[in-house]
Amino acid sequence: MSPPRLTGALRSFSHVSKKEHLTEQPYDLKTKRLKRQELFAREGLTWQKIVHFCTEHQDKAEHQAASQELKSFLLAAKQIVGDEHGQEAIESAAVFLFETFHNKDHVGTEETRAIRQMFGPFPSAAAESSCASVARLVASLGNSQVEDFIQTHTSHHNPQRGSAFGRNIVFSYDCYTLDPLEGLPLSAPHEENISLDFINFLNNQQSGRKATSEEEVSSSGRSTGSGDGATLRMEVEKYLNRGNMISSSPEELCTSLFEMLASHKSDDELQNELFELLGPDGLEMISTLLQRRMAIVDSLLTLPSDRIGFPPDLSQKGEMKPIYGCQVTIQSEQEKQMMKNYRREEKRERKKGKGTDDGDISDAFMPFDPREMRAHREQALLTARREPVLGRERVYQRIQYPNVYDVYTEATNMPAFVGGARILLPEGIHRENNKMYEQVEIPPSEAMPIGFEEKPIYISELDEIGQLVFKGMKSLNRIQSVVFETAYNTNENLLICAPTGAGKTNIAMLTVLHEIRQHLQPGGVIKKDEFKIVYVAPMKALAAEMTKYFSKRLEPLGISVKELTGDMQLTKGEILRTQMLVTTPEKWDVVTRKSVGDASLSQIVRLLILDEVHLLHEDRGPVLECLVARTIRQVESTQSMIRILGLSATLPNYLDVASFLHVNPYIGLFFFDSRFRPVPLGQTFVGIKSTNKIQQLHDMEEVCYNKVVEQVKAGHQVMVFVHARNATVRTALGMIEMAKNVGEITFFQPNQGADYGQCEKQIQRSRNKQMKEMFPEGFGIHHAGMLRSDRSMMESMFSKGYLKVLVSTATLAWGVNLPAHAVIIKVLAISFYLFGFSSCIFLLAHTFFKQLPQNLNLTPSGILNVSMTL
């Protein structure tokens, strides 16, 4: 039976944990986690211990042979676990294999089952190679010696590992008797003789102010009292240095606070009075003073003269003035800002001059010239007299743009957030915590209520061109109706930040129709040789889909749409005969540099559409910057009209990007947050608890399978995103193996429709062996390393419902529309500071609840559920 949890009362009289490294910061959580991870890494059997054990006490020839054997053993472990997980995971896998094969001479049934249970499907040749390497290493060392080594270092025989929390706690049984009738110090009989004049008290103690450092060190018994005595002065100085109560001096505020602390009022009554005096900025100071109220009063009443550290010129009797009641000073915002800047400069100068840290500044002499401050104040008052009372510009308040619907910005402008309140998770979240993982489910957010000025745009109200292109649609959706007037009837540059599933592509179609209408002749003839429209898509898969969509929509107008990517090359004549080009950033950069054709393409481009414009922050960002800068330079130099449209699903700094694209924020900036999603989004975050890499991989695969089965049993299709190409095959085969072991493979097998036989024949004609093997079980894979025909086939089978689970990389995260109810993102780590390889992990971890689920074509009746395994 596990021991009970410690309560607050037990913790008060026990030493729960000993403090280590007292010189370090106690609240550095990242450092503590790293130290704990290093502690776990040193415990048990590790790869470094195995290497040291196999190579010690050997001559040069045997040492080289053992090192070579260890390298081949590590290479076999890499083939089993996969090279996408990093060196640490490979070494952990090698340790697991060493424990498995140290007393075996061949790979038996039990060893195969253990390896498959831990790593999933694995190559048998790699297992045979690792077993042979371990056998050769053990033969040179001796079986008994290896057994003793493993018994000594393995985590299962380590008594310190896995011990319950609170097992070795030393309790204190000292008894403390509290007398309820015992009076407080302030209620003593000699209370009438106590003077509450704080300034007189300072003046009386000022005569013996000087003391040597040796006396201070020797008076260790009074250190606690002196610290309490300086607390009031320190808190007052901190409070005033933040720009509060500029008209009051430190002595005046100390006098008021000292009188209030030494009064007979209770802490609750005193708390209200202190809040009225200090305001919201003094909450921390109020808490400190009330907690140490008795200590501060006692220490100031019994404080020796050598512990007073106030400047002599501020506490002499001759310079003291009578203290009056509460003073109220009205100041403008510029005066307050100027006072704050002045105090900040004073503090910086004190740090430079004294060279002390923050703790010593409060006790050091603070130079303060009242005449200089009075001169600054008079100058500020003269300046304020010439300015209007109600200024037009308010710098401290963020501008509210008409078409920006950002709930996070609205929350940061609320008084609670400005006062220091934190933004918490919404109500209704569900938490689940067990030994394997911790799970947090966030419910879908409520939709944005429809405003009075929002009116839907019906297709029948458009002109003839609009009705031809949007044939089959009854009306535009909510976001498209808001953007319609600016996109369809003006030449303004646009930046649209909205969920892709909310109709961003049709907004691009509105700008295309506006450009076509500019070149429409009275007889209904379109001058096709006068303009070019360029649609820049981030990936070839998205470019192909956009080409198909725009070709179908613009076919009634006779507009030619072609794809210009690495897969689809166009001749010079085809480029000239095409009115709309769908390309990638790198390809369009090359084309515009060398100017293919008789007339330069850049001279006749009239509309540039940049899809997924948040790529500016990625490695391909400089290419997009070149395209935009080149276009803007052409507009300024030739005075030609080139419209720029930026589309993005996740763009936090939309104001900066709007300025970069030369977008008028009052007209062309549109930002729609998750409240405008046509399908509500529920989010589930699952965190694996294991610190061992191999155990972490095993637990992650098990949790991922359980989440997939839960959705498939409910009749939904699932998309699982991983961070590497080979991880798609490994994850799919692992889930198939788990489903067969527990007898749940029938849930994944597709329902054979009318055209299932034809689809199966198409799959069998493919060269991809894994794809043909997984299709009958209802699983599919998708990544950029596959042939384009195979990728299109997987997308088609998933859209038809013959694939219940599709394991993919980020290729499907860039706007490829597929029907899915649940999206599971399986990543090993999150990196916010590293880029390169870690930026892919950052994309899959950070952008999924902002970007990935919005790129899925979902039915409005369902609720999208996103599960993220960390």
Side-chain angles (χ1 to χ4, degrees):
M1 180 177 177
S2 60
R5 294 178 58 89
L6 294 177
T7 62
L10 293 177
R11 291 176 185 271
S12 301
F13 300 98
S14 63
H15 304 285
V16 177
S17 60
K18 62 179 181 179
K19 296 183 179 180
E20 299 178 355
H21 307 288
L22 297 177
T23 57
E24 298 182 0
Q25 297 181 358
Y27 301 106
D28 193 353
L29 187 59
K30 184 177 180 181
T31 305
K32 288 185 177 181
R33 287 177 176 173
L34 291 177
K35 288 184 177 181
R36 185 174 179 85
Q37 187 175 0
E38 293 175 0
L39 179 62
F40 286 158
R42 289 194 298 267
E43 294 180 355
L45 188 62
T46 62
W47 176 249
Q48 287 74 17
K49 294 179 181 179
I50 293 177
V51 172
H52 180 71
F53 173 73
C54 295
T55 56
E56 67 176 352
H57 306 303
Q58 294 182 354
D59 54 14
K60 186 175 181 180
E62 294 177 351
H63 187 278
Q64 291 180 355
S67 300
Q68 190 65 28
E69 202 65 47
L70 289 171
K71 289 182 180 179
S72 60
F73 177 48
L74 198 63
L75 182 61
K78 182 178 180 180
Q79 295 176 0
I80 292 177
V81 72
D83 55 353
E84 71 272 9
H85 299 303
Q87 185 67 21
E88 188 176 356
I90 296 173
E91 293 178 356
S92 300
V95 172
F96 176 81
L97 295 174
F98 188 84
E99 293 179 349
T100 305
F101 294 129
H102 74 278
N103 54 359
K104 308 292 181 182
D105 56 354
H106 67 282
V107 182
T109 306
E110 296 181 359
E111 291 77 18
T112 303
R113 186 184 299 109
I115 297 175
R116 181 177 288 110
Q117 185 179 1
M118 180 61 68
F119 304 107
F122 63 94
S124 58
E128 294 288 347
S129 175
S130 60
C131 182
S133 299
V134 173
R136 286 190 290 268
L137 289 171
V138 172
S140 61
L141 298 173
N143 293 330
S144 60
Q145 190 176 0
V146 174
E147 286 288 347
D148 295 339
F149 169 73
I150 294 180
Q151 291 290 335
T152 304
H153 293 89
T154 184
S155 60
H156 300 287
H157 298 273
N158 190 355
Q160 301 296 331
R161 182 72 178 269
S163 59
F165 176 74
R167 182 175 180 179
N168 299 322
I169 296 177
V170 180
F171 289 89
S172 174
Y173 298 97
D174 297 336
C175 298
Y176 301 93
T177 304
L178 298 178
D179 188 3
L181 301 178
E182 183 179 355
L184 296 176
L186 285 181
S187 62
H190 61 279
E191 180 183 359
E192 293 78 11
N193 299 327
I194 299 177
S195 175
L196 299 182
D197 193 348
F198 185 78
I199 293 181
N200 292 335
F201 164 74
L202 293 180
N203 296 333
N204 295 332
Q205 299 291 338
Q206 198 58 240
S207 58
R209 180 173 175 271
K210 297 182 179 180
T212 59
S213 58
E214 290 81 1
E215 294 175 351
E216 292 181 356
V217 175
S218 62
S219 59
S220 58
R222 295 177 296 174
S223 60
T224 304
S226 63
D228 295 331
T231 302
L232 180 60
R233 180 73 179 194
M234 292 171 57
E235 293 296 332
V236 168
E237 290 180 352
K238 291 180 182 179
Y239 178 75
L240 295 179
N241 286 336
R242 292 196 295 264
N244 301 307
M245 298 180 66
I246 303 175
S247 60
S248 300
S249 63
E251 285 71 27
E252 295 175 354
L253 188 56
C254 284
T255 302
S256 303
L257 294 177
F258 180 72
E259 293 176 357
M260 296 172 71
L261 293 175
S263 63
H264 297 281
K265 297 180 180 179
S266 63
D267 288 348
D268 296 336
E269 297 176 350
L270 191 59
Q271 180 180 355
N272 297 331
E273 294 185 4
L274 290 175
F275 184 80
E276 294 178 359
L277 176 63
L278 302 176
D281 295 335
L283 289 177
E284 182 179 358
M285 177 180 175
I286 294 172
S287 175
T288 304
L289 295 180
L290 290 179
Q291 291 177 2
R292 307 179 63 178
R293 176 182 179 183
M294 299 302 302
I296 292 174
V297 175
D298 293 343
S299 61
L300 288 176
L301 293 176
T302 60
L303 193 64
S305 59
D306 58 348
R307 304 299 293 175
I308 305 297
F310 301 118
D313 56 345
L314 295 181
S315 59
Q316 295 178 0
K317 295 183 178 180
E319 296 184 6
M320 287 297 106
K321 296 181 180 181
I323 300 175
Y324 302 98
C326 181
Q327 299 179 3
V328 179
T329 304
I330 300 176
Q331 292 179 326
S332 64
E333 293 295 333
Q334 294 182 355
E335 289 181 283
K336 292 183 180 180
Q337 188 64 29
M338 188 194 67
M339 294 298 179
K340 291 181 181 180
N341 295 335
Y342 180 78
R343 292 187 176 276
R344 193 179 296 114
E345 292 294 332
E346 286 287 338
K347 190 174 181 180
R348 188 180 295 112
E349 291 297 329
R350 291 200 306 274
K351 288 183 178 180
K352 292 181 180 179
K354 296 294 182 180
T356 57
D357 54 2
D358 294 339
D360 298 329
I361 288 177
S362 59
D363 295 332
F365 175 73
M366 182 179 66
F368 183 79
D369 189 0
R371 291 173 296 182
E372 184 178 357
M373 285 296 299
R374 180 178 293 275
H376 281 283
R377 176 169 174 74
E378 292 178 354
Q379 182 64 31
L381 290 175
L382 292 175
T383 305
R385 288 175 59 184
R386 304 186 186 97
E387 296 182 356
V389 177
L390 300 177
R392 295 184 178 181
E393 296 184 1
R394 304 181 70 182
V395 183
Y396 58 92
Q397 185 177 3
R398 185 165 182 171
I399 301 176
Q400 181 65 36
Y401 297 104
N403 300 314
V404 173
Y405 304 92
D406 190 357
V407 66
Y408 180 77
T409 304
E410 295 175 1
T412 55
N413 290 333
M414 290 184 178
F417 183 83
V418 175
R422 300 173 57 188
I423 296 180
L424 304 178
L425 292 175
E427 296 181 355
I429 65 172
H430 175 69
R431 293 181 181 271
E432 180 181 351
N433 197 351
N434 52 37
K435 295 182 178 180
M436 184 181 297
Y437 63 88
E438 181 179 358
Q439 176 176 300
V440 179
E441 296 182 8
I442 302 177
S445 58
E446 298 181 357
M448 179 74 176
I450 299 178
F452 294 102
E453 299 180 357
E454 296 185 28
K455 296 181 180 179
I457 303 298
Y458 294 94
I459 302 301
S460 58
E461 299 175 359
L462 303 181
D463 52 15
E464 185 179 356
I465 292 181
Q467 294 180 13
L468 285 175
V469 172
F470 292 107
K471 185 178 180 181
M473 296 176 58
K474 182 179 179 180
S475 63
L476 300 178
N477 65 11
R478 185 178 180 183
I479 293 179
Q480 295 163 3
S481 300
V482 174
V483 185
F484 173 78
E485 185 63 30
T486 307
Y488 198 71
N489 295 323
T490 66
N491 288 321
E492 290 286 340
N493 292 347
L494 293 176
L495 176 60
I496 311 296
C497 304
T500 308
K504 230 173 16 146
T505 306
N506 281 343
I507 295 177
M509 178 63 74
L510 292 176
T511 60
V512 171
L513 294 181
H514 171 73
E515 186 59 38
I516 294 175
R517 290 166 58 216
Q518 300 294 318
H519 304 278
L520 182 64
Q521 297 298 318
V525 179
I526 301 175
K527 291 188 176 182
K528 302 178 183 180
D529 56 346
E530 291 184 353
F531 67 96
K532 285 283 190 294
I533 300 172
V534 178
Y535 189 102
V536 180
M539 302 187 72
K540 293 183 289 185
L542 180 58
E545 183 178 348
M546 290 296 103
T547 302
K548 187 185 304 182
Y549 173 79
F550 283 105
S551 297
K552 180 180 179 180
R553 288 291 183 182
L554 296 176
E555 184 180 3
L557 301 181
I559 300 298
S560 176
V561 183
K562 296 289 185 181
E563 178 184 352
L564 181 59
T565 59
D567 295 342
M568 301 294 293
Q569 299 291 339
L570 298 179
T571 63
K572 181 170 57 177
E574 289 176 336
I575 291 178
L576 295 178
R577 291 191 297 270
T578 301
Q579 286 76 47
M580 185 173 181
L581 294 172
V582 183
T583 180
T584 57
E586 291 78 9
K587 189 66 176 179
W588 184 244
D589 183 37
V590 173
V591 170
T592 53
R593 285 180 185 272
K594 63 182 182 179
S595 300
V596 179
D598 298 333
S600 178
L601 273 179
S602 58
Q603 301 297 328
I604 56 176
V605 171
R606 293 294 175 263
L607 177 60
L608 178 63
I609 303 174
L610 303 175
D611 199 0
E612 311 295 348
V613 75
H614 55 263
L615 280 178
L616 286 167
H617 187 59
E618 302 298 329
D619 294 336
R620 304 164 69 185
V623 181
L624 275 179
E625 289 186 22
C626 289
L627 298 181
V628 176
R630 198 176 302 149
T631 303
I632 294 175
R633 179 180 176 87
Q634 179 183 344
V635 171
E636 295 175 349
S637 60
T638 62
Q639 296 299 313
S640 58
M641 180 59 203
I642 302 179
R643 191 180 191 181
I644 299 177
L645 170 63
L647 304 175
S648 176
T650 165
L651 197 62
N653 56 336
Y654 48 86
L655 293 178
D656 299 332
V657 179
S659 176
F660 173 68
L661 298 179
H662 287 208
V663 174
N664 187 348
Y666 291 95
I667 302 177
L669 175 60
F670 293 86
F671 184 90
F672 304 93
D673 54 18
S674 58
R675 296 174 297 175
F676 288 84
R677 296 183 61 91
V679 178
L681 172 63
Q683 305 174 29
T684 303
F685 297 89
V686 182
I688 305 298
K689 291 185 176 181
S690 176
T691 57
N692 184 273
K693 287 294 181 182
I694 296 303
Q695 189 65 33
Q696 191 181 67
L697 293 175
H698 177 266
D699 294 347
M700 187 176 297
E701 295 291 341
E702 183 176 350
V703 173
C704 180
Y705 172 75
N706 293 334
K707 297 296 181 183
V708 169
V709 171
E710 181 182 349
Q711 296 293 332
V712 172
K713 287 182 178 180
H716 306 307
Q717 290 178 285
V718 185
M719 298 180 68
V720 181
F721 285 89
V722 294
H723 66 282
R725 296 179 182 179
N726 52 0
T728 58
V729 179
R730 185 182 301 274
T731 302
L733 293 178
M735 286 191 288
I736 293 175
E737 187 76 17
M738 292 182 192
K740 290 181 178 179
N741 292 337
V742 297
E744 296 177 342
I745 192 63
T746 55
F747 293 104
F748 297 92
Q749 293 175 351
N751 300 324
Q752 299 184 5
D755 58 343
Y756 177 78
Q758 185 67 26
C759 295
E760 191 174 10
K761 291 180 181 179
Q762 295 179 6
I763 295 292
Q764 295 301 325
R765 286 196 293 265
S766 173
R767 299 179 182 179
N768 195 316
K769 180 181 177 180
Q770 291 87 2
M771 191 173 70
K772 293 188 293 185
E773 179 183 351
M774 289 182 285
F775 178 74
E777 311 297 343
F779 285 81
I781 56 176
H782 191 289
H783 57 80
M786 300 171 58
L787 297 177
R788 181 167 183 172
S789 58
D790 292 342
R791 297 199 305 266
S792 302
M793 198 181 304
M794 286 288 98
E795 296 171 9
S796 175
M797 299 303 167
F798 191 81
S799 61
K800 292 179 181 179
Y802 294 136
L803 293 180
K804 296 295 182 66
V805 181
L806 181 61
V807 186
S808 173
T809 57
T811 53
L812 285 179
W814 297 99
V816 179
N817 293 318
L818 290 178
H821 183 273
V823 176
I824 297 178
I825 300 95
K826 187 168 72 74
V827 294
L828 289 176
I830 300 178
S831 176
F832 291 96
Y833 306 104
L834 301 178
F835 294 93
F837 180 75
S838 296
S839 66
C840 182
I841 299 176
F842 171 77
L843 172 67
L844 296 182
H846 175 70
T847 317
F848 267 112
F849 52 88
K850 291 282 189 180
Q851 160 73 13
L852 232 168
Q854 300 169 354
N855 287 334
L856 306 177
N857 189 10
L858 306 169
T859 58
S861 59
I863 295 180
L864 178 64
N865 182 28
V866 178
S867 297
M868 180 180 297
T869 304
L870 303 181

